């Protein structure tokens, strides 16, 4: 369906979709590794690109009740994790807008130093 | 003699001028005229009495009835008395633009003249016409000026006398006459008469300088060196104005040859032309109440025509707006009909068997290339008569789908870029349908876009995995820039700067030779694709979810955001197009083609017909009425004007008011017998 437009977040250590290797995010966006998803370990990232989002759902997790959307790879529609939209408890607010990617569903690889340049 | 006392005196002359000299309107406001009338009646009565004796021969009748001929002769009188130049004044009357310029004086006169008839005249306008407001008088003056230009002097005189307006100030008319006749001394004296009427008293010096410069140059050209020298020494130099030019002029003394003189002085030579130019320059110093700007009525009308043209949303033709009548009749507002604009499907071509992702017309508009997910590229020939395409050949053998195409500026070569996984790109010769070379450096490369250098011998290419190469026609990599994830490329008209959009939402310019780069455009969202216009000054960007953005590359500023379309998920391409690159077109995720006029944010046309996402739109650079779009529905659609506007006669959006004899935008004047309707699938070769 058309030529899917993919962004590239850049960075030296990249995380990509395990199915189609679309680059999703990088190490510098990593906030925490101490999360658990359906398949096991999961990471919380600040910013992730090339995702499609599901409808918002109400979920009760270990940390409380949250409104989340499931995220999938934009290129191949493989399930990847979820994004927090709303946290009912104050001390969970820091997760809002952040994305969880399950460790088993992504692969890590090397990127390169990007040329930023001056203005 | 009473006349001598009253009228031969400069002071009184100026008084009478000043009396109907309203500061803004130069003597055409009604109230002062009432006063004037009284003054002038006294003046005129004295004129009539005094002038009968010496000027009897010039008066055919002194009948009190205010016929136009009487008034004109009385006006001649007035002239004589004022300036003491007898025959010359009459000649001036006939020659000068402001021939009937003393009409306001006439008001008094005619009223004086028709005192016997009208007694107390309630109409201040005089001459029997209605009272006119200031604006109406200005319009009458403009019409009078235009009539004189057309050679309809009698009508102009009649108009001036009936309306009671005057074309030009009498002193200005005299001045003009002296300048055109080359009588410099008299011109100077006329100029000093005008001194009080000028807005800026300093401009008097400037004007004198211009007069003397012309005099000097004319004397030199006609070989009167001594007089020229005198002029230079005793007249130009004492002015102490623009001494640099004076020095230049003095150096011209030694020119022997008139042609050399002319080119050195940047002067067009003695004669009407240069004097006319001089007059035009001098006229700038005179307020319009004194002397009407030349061709004023025509100028106003041309402005109105230009305004109509800019308002015309579907304007896709060439019209020279500096020439009256080129946009058709003045009797109707200009507006191009919507049907003349490319909005109707002319052809639907189903030669591809999968999604078509990219299409590009060649720079000369003679060929179209379309690339598809089915990994083929089809080259089509454009038929300039019918503006349809026929397949020429199919370029296949690619390993993956075709995502980008780039025509070389010399129209002979085509770069075919494939999906990221392909790790190579192919350069084809489009005349023979053969591969020229491939660029395949490493299996990890991605080369998903490319752009040619002006010489059609080198090109740049790059991709998201960080490859950014400069290559030659043998597929060798000449240069490489590290660390840039390239999404789209273009080369600027200066031939050095490579524009690349990258993943940091920006477009940077890169100089491969001196390894310099600089930021040009910074967006807040991803730039999916971009393209440059023909001049290279503007860039059109498809920005994810933000519409199509038009940027000025010189000032690096955002000019306009075109909205209405849907895009963000898939890569959509847009283009400039139309006559004069006035339009912008883009594909969209809602299956429509969007076309905007470059000055308006909302589309002027949305073309429906495709049944899948329109991935790319391209506009024929040579034939402004031809647009091609490609879509996920595997078809290529050619769009053009409605049937009645197709065919050579009505081609390219003739406006309603143009006649069929006008030149079409293609520059062809042939007429075809009938217009054709094309709705069938494109012919397969």
């Amino acid at each position: 369906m058309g030529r899917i437009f993919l962004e590239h977040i850049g960075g030296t250590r990249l995380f990509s979709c395990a199915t189609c290797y679309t680059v999703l995010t990088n190490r510098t966006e990593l906030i925490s590794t101490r999360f658990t998803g359906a398949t096991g370990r999961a990471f919380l990232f600040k910013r992730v690109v090339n995702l499609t989002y599901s409808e918002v759902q109400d979920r009760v997790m270990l940390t409380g009740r949250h409104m989340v959307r499931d995220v999938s790879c934009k290129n191949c529609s493989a399930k990847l994790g979820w994004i927090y939209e709303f946290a009912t408890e104050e001390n969970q607010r820091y997760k809002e807008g952040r994305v969880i990617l399950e460790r088993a569903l992504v692969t890590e690889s090397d990127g390169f130093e990007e040329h930023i340049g001056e203005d | 003699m009473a006349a001598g006392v009253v009228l031969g005196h400069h002071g009184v002359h100026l008084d009478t001028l000043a009396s109907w000299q309203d500061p803004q309107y130069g003597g055409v406001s009604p109230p002062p005229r009432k006063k004037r009338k009284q003054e002038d009646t006294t003046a005129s009565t004295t004129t009539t009495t005094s002038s009968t004796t010496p000027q009897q021969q010039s008066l055919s009748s002194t009948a009190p009835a205010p016929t136009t001929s009487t008034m004109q002769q009385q006006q001649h009188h007035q002239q004589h008395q004022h300036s003491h130049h007898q025959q010359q004044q009459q000649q001036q009357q006939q020659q000068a633009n402001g021939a009937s310029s003393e009409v306001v004086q006439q008001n008094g006169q005619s009223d004086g003249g028709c005192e016997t008839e009208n007694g107390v005249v309630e109409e201040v306008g005089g001459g029997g016409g209605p009272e006119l407001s200031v604006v109406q008088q200005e319009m009458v003056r403009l019409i009078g000026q235009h009539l004189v230009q057309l050679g309809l002097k009698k009508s102009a005189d009649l108009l001036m006398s009936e309306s009671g307006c005057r074309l030009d100030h009498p002193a200005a008319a005299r001045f003009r006459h002296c300048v055109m006749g080359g009588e410099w001394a008299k011109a100077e004296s006329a100029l000093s008469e005008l001194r009080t009427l000028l807005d800026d008293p300093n401009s008097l010096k400037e004007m004198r300088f211009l007069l003397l410069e012309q005099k000097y140059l004319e004397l030199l050209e006609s070989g009167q060196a001594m007089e020229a020298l005198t002029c230079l020494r005793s007249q130009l130099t004492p002015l102490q104005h623009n001494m640099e030019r004076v020095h230049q002029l003095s150096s011209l003394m030694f020119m022997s040859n008139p042609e050399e003189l002319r080119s050195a002085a940047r002067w067009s030579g003695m004669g009407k032309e240069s004097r006319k130019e001089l007059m035009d320059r001098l006229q700038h110093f005179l307020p319009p109440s004194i002397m009407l700007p030349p061709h004023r009525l025509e100028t106003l009308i041309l402005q109105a025509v230009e305004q109509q043209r800019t308002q015309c949303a579907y304007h896709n033709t060439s019209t020279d707006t500096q020439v009256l009548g080129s946009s058709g009749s003045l009797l109707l507002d200009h507006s191009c009909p919507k049907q003349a604009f490319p909005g109707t499907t002319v052809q639907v071509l189903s030669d591809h068997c999968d999604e078509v992702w990219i299409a590009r017309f060649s720079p000369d508009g003679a060929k179209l290339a379309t690339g598809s997910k089915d990994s083929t590229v089809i080259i089509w020939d454009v038929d300039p008569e019918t503006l349809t395409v026929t397949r020429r050949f199919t370029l296949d053998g690619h390993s993956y789908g075709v995502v980008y195409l780039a025509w070389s500026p010399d129209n002979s070569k085509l770069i075919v870029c494939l999906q990221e996984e392909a790790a190579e790109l192919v350069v084809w010769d489009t005349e023979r349908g053969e591969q020229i070379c491939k660029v395949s450096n490493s299996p990890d490369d991605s080369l998903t876009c490319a752009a040619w250098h002006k010489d059609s011998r080198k090109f740049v290419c790059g991709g998201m995995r960080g490859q950014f190469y400069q290559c030659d026609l043998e597929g060798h990599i000449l240069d490489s820039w590290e660390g840039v994830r390239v999404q789209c490329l273009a080369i600027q008209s200066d031939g050095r700067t490579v524009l690349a959009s990258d993943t940091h939402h920006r477009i940077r310019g890169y100089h491969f030779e001196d390894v310099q780069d600089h930021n040009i455009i910074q967006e807040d969202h991803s730039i999916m694709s971009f393209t440059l216009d023909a001049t290279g000054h503007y860039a059109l960007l498809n920005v994810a979810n933000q519409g199509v953005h038009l940027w000025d590359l010189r000032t690096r500023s955002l000019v306009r955001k075109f909205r209405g379309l849907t895009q963000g998920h898939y890569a959509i391409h847009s283009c400039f197009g139309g006559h004069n690159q006035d339009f912008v077109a883009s594909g969209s995720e809602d299956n429509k083609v969007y076309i905007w006029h470059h000055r308006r944010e909302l589309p002027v046309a949305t073309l429906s017909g495709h049944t899948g996402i329109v991935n790319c739109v391209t506009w024929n650079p040579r034939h402004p009425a031809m647009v091609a779009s490609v879509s996920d529905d595997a078809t290529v659609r050619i769009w053009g004007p409605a049937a009645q506007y197709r065919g050579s006669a009505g081609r390219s959006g003739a406006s309603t008011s143009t006649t069929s004899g006008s030149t079409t935008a293609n520059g062809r004047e042939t007429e075809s017998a009938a217009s054709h309707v094309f709705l069938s699938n494109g012919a397969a070769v």
Side-chain angles (χ1 to χ4, degrees):
Chain A
M1 272 290 279
R3 192 182 139 227
I4 297 178
F5 174 71
L6 297 172
E7 287 187 62
H8 197 297
I9 198 168
T12 41
R13 287 290 289 172
L14 307 170
F15 289 89
S16 317
C17 169
T19 321
C20 66
Y21 303 105
T22 303
V23 177
L24 302 166
T25 183
N26 59 42
R27 272 264 158 196
T28 51
E29 303 288 337
L30 184 58
I31 302 176
S32 162
T33 57
R34 286 146 62 156
F35 280 82
T36 313
T39 56
R41 284 279 296 281
F43 294 168
L44 182 70
F45 290 94
K46 200 163 46 174
R47 186 176 155 235
V48 180
V49 296
N50 297 329
L51 298 173
T52 49
Y53 304 86
S54 74
E55 285 305 305
V56 69
Q57 297 156 23
D58 208 334
R59 263 187 220 160
V60 178
M61 300 170 157
L62 281 170
T63 41
R65 194 165 73 89
H66 297 81
M67 315 265 277
V68 302
R69 291 181 192 265
D70 283 325
V71 302
S72 314
C73 174
K74 185 180 181 186
N75 197 31
C76 65
S77 308
K79 261 195 63 65
L80 294 170
W82 62 90
I83 180 173
Y84 291 97
E85 277 219 358
F86 182 75
T88 30
E89 284 158 51
E90 274 307 303
N91 58 0
Q92 302 298 308
R93 287 274 301 277
Y94 74 98
K95 297 177 192 167
E96 284 176 3
R98 313 296 184 209
V99 181
I100 293 277
L101 296 181
E102 302 195 29
R103 191 70 190 81
L105 304 176
V106 299
T107 49
E108 206 170 339
S109 59
D110 279 313
F112 53 77
E113 195 62 50
E114 297 214 9
H115 170 79
I116 299 294
E118 317 94 38
D119 211 332
Chain B
M1 293 240 307
V5 169
V6 175
L7 296 162
H9 201 283
H10 243 325
V12 175
H13 165 74
L14 287 177
D15 273 349
T16 45
L17 292 179
S19 61
W20 40 261
Q21 189 85 46
D22 207 82
Q24 294 112 12
Y25 301 120
V28 289
S29 55
R33 264 200 235 136
K34 281 208 176 4
K35 289 190 303 208
R36 240 185 299 123
K37 205 162 54 106
Q38 288 151 22
E39 286 176 24
D40 288 343
T41 41
T42 52
S44 62
T45 40
T46 38
T47 3
T48 36
T49 50
S50 59
S51 58
T52 38
T53 32
Q55 302 296 340
Q56 249 165 14
Q57 65 275 19
S58 61
L59 281 176
S60 58
S61 80
T62 38
T67 58
T68 29
S69 52
T70 327
M71 290 194 304
Q72 282 186 338
Q73 274 137 8
Q74 289 183 350
Q75 144 201 350
H76 284 186
H77 273 306
Q78 202 76 352
Q79 268 300 303
H80 283 248
Q81 296 307 316
H82 281 159
S83 58
H84 311 286
H85 300 291
Q86 313 210 339
Q87 295 96 343
Q88 280 163 336
Q89 285 308 312
Q90 283 200 327
Q91 284 164 20
Q92 278 187 22
Q93 280 309 300
Q94 283 136 25
Q95 288 169 27
N97 210 7
S100 21
S101 55
E102 289 72 43
V103 180
V104 187
Q105 290 274 343
Q106 284 171 41
N107 288 342
Q109 278 187 51
S110 59
D111 286 332
C114 53
E115 241 175 3
T116 51
E117 218 179 53
N118 301 343
V120 174
V121 182
E122 60 251 314
E123 296 172 331
V124 183
E131 179 168 340
L132 298 174
S133 72
V134 171
V135 169
Q136 286 170 330
Q137 283 164 10
E138 283 186 357
M139 286 178 66
V140 167
R141 288 176 72 199
L142 291 184
I143 294 171
Q145 185 195 42
H146 194 65
L147 288 173
V148 172
Q149 251 169 256
L150 292 177
L152 302 167
K153 249 207 106 271
K154 279 199 293 196
S155 308
D157 292 341
L158 180 54
L159 173 66
M160 287 301 128
S161 56
E162 187 176 354
S163 61
C165 305
R166 61 174 175 84
L167 272 183
D168 281 330
H169 193 288
R174 252 202 313 289
F175 178 62
R176 181 206 304 271
H177 178 76
C178 296
V179 169
M180 295 306 288
E183 295 156 16
W184 308 112
K186 292 180 203 143
E188 281 211 46
S189 68
L191 184 58
S192 21
E193 279 175 18
L194 289 172
R195 191 192 317 129
T196 49
L197 307 172
L198 294 174
D199 287 330
D200 174 17
N202 295 331
S203 48
L204 187 73
K205 204 193 243 192
E206 177 94 32
M207 294 174 75
R208 290 187 66 200
F209 183 86
L210 289 171
L211 278 179
L212 291 169
E213 183 187 35
Q214 178 82 1
K215 173 178 175 182
Y216 173 77
L217 287 170
E218 288 198 0
L219 286 172
L220 265 193
E221 183 171 333
S222 53
Q224 300 172 43
M226 279 314 295
E227 287 87 348
L229 188 60
T230 328
C231 169
L232 184 67
R233 279 213 195 117
S234 54
Q235 292 179 311
L236 268 173
T237 316
L239 274 184
Q240 291 299 308
H241 176 87
N242 199 354
M243 290 315 289
E244 193 187 306
R245 179 68 177 157
V246 176
H247 287 142
Q248 264 184 8
L249 291 174
S250 54
S251 72
L252 297 171
M253 281 286 306
F254 307 104
M255 297 271 165
S256 44
N257 198 333
E259 277 87 48
E260 271 179 44
L261 174 67
R262 275 184 227 134
S263 57
R266 279 177 306 229
W267 186 54
S268 54
M270 186 160 143
K272 263 197 101 166
E273 261 311 304
S274 66
R275 286 182 192 165
K276 201 162 167 315
E277 273 172 36
L278 171 67
M279 198 59 232
D280 279 344
R281 281 158 74 189
L282 289 169
Q283 178 266 314
H284 280 125
F285 298 102
L286 300 170
S289 52
I290 306 296
M291 183 180 281
L292 287 173
H295 312 290
R296 183 64 190 157
L297 188 65
E298 262 192 43
T299 313
L300 283 174
I301 291 183
L302 283 173
Q303 285 175 5
V305 168
E306 178 66 35
Q307 163 81 338
Q308 286 169 14
R309 191 190 71 81
T310 55
Q311 299 283 27
C312 179
Y314 302 111
H315 196 87
N316 200 18
T317 61
S318 61
T319 47
D320 181 4
T321 46
Q322 292 314 301
V323 176
L324 263 189
S326 62
S327 316
S329 162
L330 291 175
L331 302 179
L332 285 177
D333 269 4
H334 168 87
S335 80
C336 293
K338 186 167 180 179
Q339 289 76 28
F341 195 74
T344 325
T345 305
V346 176
Q347 272 183 297
V348 179
L349 308 156
S350 315
D351 295 57
H352 281 292
C353 37
D354 206 340
E355 300 172 8
V356 190
W357 283 340
I358 184 84
R360 288 276 188 263
F361 276 107
S362 59
D364 62 1
K367 292 188 277 234
L368 173 69
T370 55
S372 163
K373 190 178 176 189
D374 67 7
S375 71
T376 62
V377 173
I378 300 182
I379 308 283
W380 314 77
D381 282 325
V382 173
D383 177 357
E385 290 296 313
T386 56
L387 294 189
T388 56
V389 298
T390 45
R391 174 157 70 164
R392 190 168 182 181
F393 26 60
T394 307
L395 311 174
D396 53 17
H398 303 111
S399 40
Y400 282 87
V402 179
V403 298
Y404 201 77
L405 294 169
W407 283 94
S408 61
D410 67 1
N411 299 299
S412 64
K413 300 183 265 284
L414 186 70
I415 300 179
V416 176
C417 298
L418 307 171
Q419 283 173 284
E420 207 169 285
E421 300 83 349
E424 64 177 11
L425 63 75
V426 188
V427 184
W428 290 84
D429 177 333
T430 54
E431 321 260 283
R432 295 194 296 265
E434 293 164 359
Q435 275 194 26
I436 296 179
C437 72
K438 281 192 187 186
V439 176
S440 45
N441 183 40
S442 128
D444 293 326
D445 279 2
S446 66
L447 299 167
T448 48
C449 61
W452 286 92
H453 272 280
K454 272 201 303 208
D455 60 4
S456 299
R457 302 187 55 76
K458 290 200 306 249
F459 57 92
V460 291
C461 56
M464 289 276 279
R465 297 201 194 140
Q467 285 72 43
F468 188 9
Y469 300 144
Q470 186 159 256
C471 308
D472 67 7
L473 284 177
E474 279 151 34
H476 297 146
I477 297 173
L478 307 168
D479 252 314
S480 161
W481 200 297
E482 295 287 312
V484 185
R485 298 189 193 270
V486 178
Q487 284 182 322
C488 200
L489 288 169
I491 296 196
Q492 260 196 313
S493 36
D494 66 0
R496 294 177 53 214
T497 318
V498 177
L499 298 175
S501 69
D502 59 26
T503 50
H504 301 283
H505 311 329
R506 62 185 185 178
I507 295 182
R508 274 179 90 80
Y510 296 86
H511 292 153
F512 275 84
E513 308 84 38
D514 49 5
V515 198
Q516 296 278 349
D517 63 328
H518 53 280
N519 233 23
I520 298 187
I521 291 175
Q522 180 71 52
E523 283 272 358
D524 297 322
H525 296 82
S526 300
I527 301 172
M528 298 201 294
S529 62
F530 78 95
T531 171
L532 299 183
D533 76 332
T535 61
H537 294 156
Y538 292 97
L540 194 66
L541 278 58
N542 277 75
V543 181
N545 294 313
Q546 300 297 309
V548 179
H549 292 185
L550 179 68
W551 283 76
D552 182 333
L553 292 175
R554 294 162 296 181
T555 60
R556 301 185 191 180
S557 54
L558 180 63
V559 175
R560 194 153 284 111
K561 292 186 183 184
F562 300 109
R563 49 200 172 89
L565 78 169
T566 315
Q567 51 152 33
H569 199 89
Y570 299 100
I572 306 275
H573 297 267
S574 57
C575 64
F576 287 93
H579 192 85
N580 218 28
Q581 307 247 295
D582 278 340
F583 296 95
V584 158
S586 174
S588 169
E589 289 170 12
D590 60 7
N591 306 354
K592 296 192 213 151
V593 175
Y594 282 78
I595 301 184
W596 295 264
H597 188 280
H598 80 275
R599 261 188 240 114
R600 295 159 204 235
E601 288 202 354
L602 291 173
V604 295
T606 54
L607 314 182
S608 310
H610 278 295
T611 53
I613 297 168
V614 182
N615 293 308
C616 183
V617 179
T618 175
W619 207 306
N620 193 314
R622 181 68 60 79
H623 307 289
M626 186 178 187
V627 177
S629 64
V630 294
S631 159
D632 275 0
D633 62 9
T635 62
V636 178
R637 265 184 196 242
I638 307 291
W639 306 83
Q644 68 266 33
Y645 290 95
R646 259 178 267 136
S648 317
R651 182 73 44 77
S652 61
S655 63
T656 42
S657 43
T658 17
T659 59
S660 56
S662 63
T663 342
T664 63
N666 303 335
R668 288 176 288 116
E669 280 122 332
T670 54
E671 311 240 334
S672 67
S675 56
H676 308 262
V677 180
F678 296 88
L679 283 176
S680 57
N681 291 341
V685 167

